[in-house]
Amino acid sequence: MLIMIRFAAALLARIAALALVVSTLFALPAAAQAPAPVSGLLEDLALRQELDPLKTVIVARDGRILAERGYRGNRVTDPTNIKSASKSIISALVGIAIDKGLLAGPDQKIAPILKADLPASPDPRINDITIGHLLSMQAGLGRLSGPNYGRWVASRNWVRTALAQPFDDDPGGDMLYSTASTHLLSAILTKVSGKSTLALAREWLAPLDGFRIGAWDRDPQGIYLGGNQMAMSPRSLLAFGELYRNGGRTASGQQLLSAEWIVASWQHRTNSRFSGDEYGYGWFERQIAGEEVHFAWGYGGQMLYIIPSLDLTVVMTSAESGPSARNGYRDALHLVLGEIITTVKAGPETDG
């Protein structure tokens, strides 16, 4: 009997020791077992019917990715058409061209640069249009976006067609959102540099780790379409956003774009007549969840958000097949950003 008692006691002791080892190896603190806050939020987005077009989301803070997720088979490394979010990239290239002395500045008049493509008998107001007017969508020329976009890209010379539009306002007047304005900037960059806009982007932004432009449409003269039809991955768009969040510097500290240009780009210059958002040089601005947000916005819901007060950069990409403003989808994405901001502000992150 004594032998059996000793054997049982020894067995219980070994079981207890084994349990301790197992708990040490596999049991994690409660905070680590629970889903990380931002990761959990991104996982929940897949269940929301109003977000069916959503393809990817990336959330980064101070240069570190907190969470990223692809939906319905999409990946953050897949190229996607960022649509008009590319207007912010054109703005960056203009800023670099100014830094390099290829352009004099936002107040430089465009007519002398594009004189070969001016109408035979132009409205004299065309001589008043500046680089800054094109950047802020205040050129005054009739819009070639929306219902007019198709006939514009079907024309034989997109630059001449844009410059031949009748004036709907004086230069410097109300915002007239038009992809033709940023295409004129692409033509100007090509003229003053002697290189294609794609070559400039690849050269000037080459030190930016992770940045890459893939396919990009061109006009009949070979000029890359300023402000539309540009393929980038969400990760690449994040890298571009990080350049702005970081004051124009790369992660290694190399200054690619002047901090002064970023300030100028984010300065309120006009307002969108469609959304009411403030607009600068290729960037929208609004308050979301109590924070100032600067964002690039492309058709269908291609979004790049920068929240400087929180060192936060957020990318959202969506199916390009439908609008995002008229159907409320863009507003739904703004609400998601508000949830992300609230989650980040709530406490320390446990995301990997």
Side-chain angles (χ1 to χ4, degrees), residues 90 93 185-187 189-190 193 195-202 213 216 223-226:
I90 292 293
L93 296 178
L185 290 170
S186 183
L189 287 167
T190 302
S193 70
K195 298 179 180 180
S196 74
T197 318
L198 178 58
L200 294 178
R202 289 175 171 171
I213 296 173
W216 190 4
I223 298 168
Y224 283 93
L225 175 48

Side-chain angles (χ1 to χ4, degrees), residues 9-213:
L11 182 60
L12 290 172
R14 292 187 67 179
I15 291 173
L18 181 60
L20 179 61
V21 171
V22 171
S23 65
T24 301
L25 289 175
F26 298 104
L28 298 175
Q33 290 180 0
V38 175
S39 295
L41 173 59
L42 298 197
E43 186 175 345
D44 290 344
L45 298 182
L47 305 176
R48 302 187 189 180
Q49 187 175 358
E50 73 274 15
L51 298 178
D52 277 351
L54 190 63
K55 292 168 64 175
T56 66
V57 180
I58 308 176
V59 181
R61 191 172 196 188
D62 200 20
R64 182 175 69 94
I65 293 178
L66 297 180
E68 58 183 6
R69 185 176 174 90
Y71 304 91
R72 288 163 283 280
N74 294 288
R75 300 178 300 177
V76 296
T77 53
D78 292 338
T80 190
N81 188 344
I82 65 169
K83 295 291 188 175
S84 287
S86 58
K87 289 178 171 64
S88 301
I89 295 171
I90 292 293
S91 175
L93 296 178
V94 170
I96 296 173
I98 292 171
D99 292 341
K100 291 181 177 294
L102 293 173
L103 293 172
D107 294 332
Q108 183 176 358
K109 303 293 177 62
I110 70 165
I113 304 173
L114 299 176
K115 58 185 177 182
D117 292 308
L118 293 178
S121 301
D123 185 310
R125 287 177 289 183
I126 207 162
N127 297 303
D128 297 328
I129 300 174
T130 65
I131 297 287
H133 291 149
L134 295 178
L135 287 164
S136 62
M137 302 291 176
Q138 294 176 284
L141 293 168
R143 296 177 64 245
L144 290 173
S145 285
N148 298 321
Y149 181 81
R151 69 172 177 83
W152 174 54
V153 297
S155 69
R156 286 189 265 183
N157 188 310
W158 298 359
V159 172
R160 290 182 182 175
T161 299
L163 292 170
Q165 293 307 296
F167 278 81
D168 288 342
D169 201 350
D170 293 332
D174 287 343
M175 180 181 183
L176 295 169
Y177 188 90
S178 178
T179 296
S181 287
T182 35
H183 187 62
L184 291 178
L185 290 170
S186 183
I188 287 168
L189 287 167
T190 302
K191 290 270 189 184
V192 300
S193 70
K195 298 179 180 180
S196 74
T197 318
L198 178 58
L200 294 178
R202 289 175 171 171
E203 176 186 338
W204 292 347
L205 298 175
L208 191 57
D209 188 35
F211 178 84
R212 182 180 181 277
I213 296 173

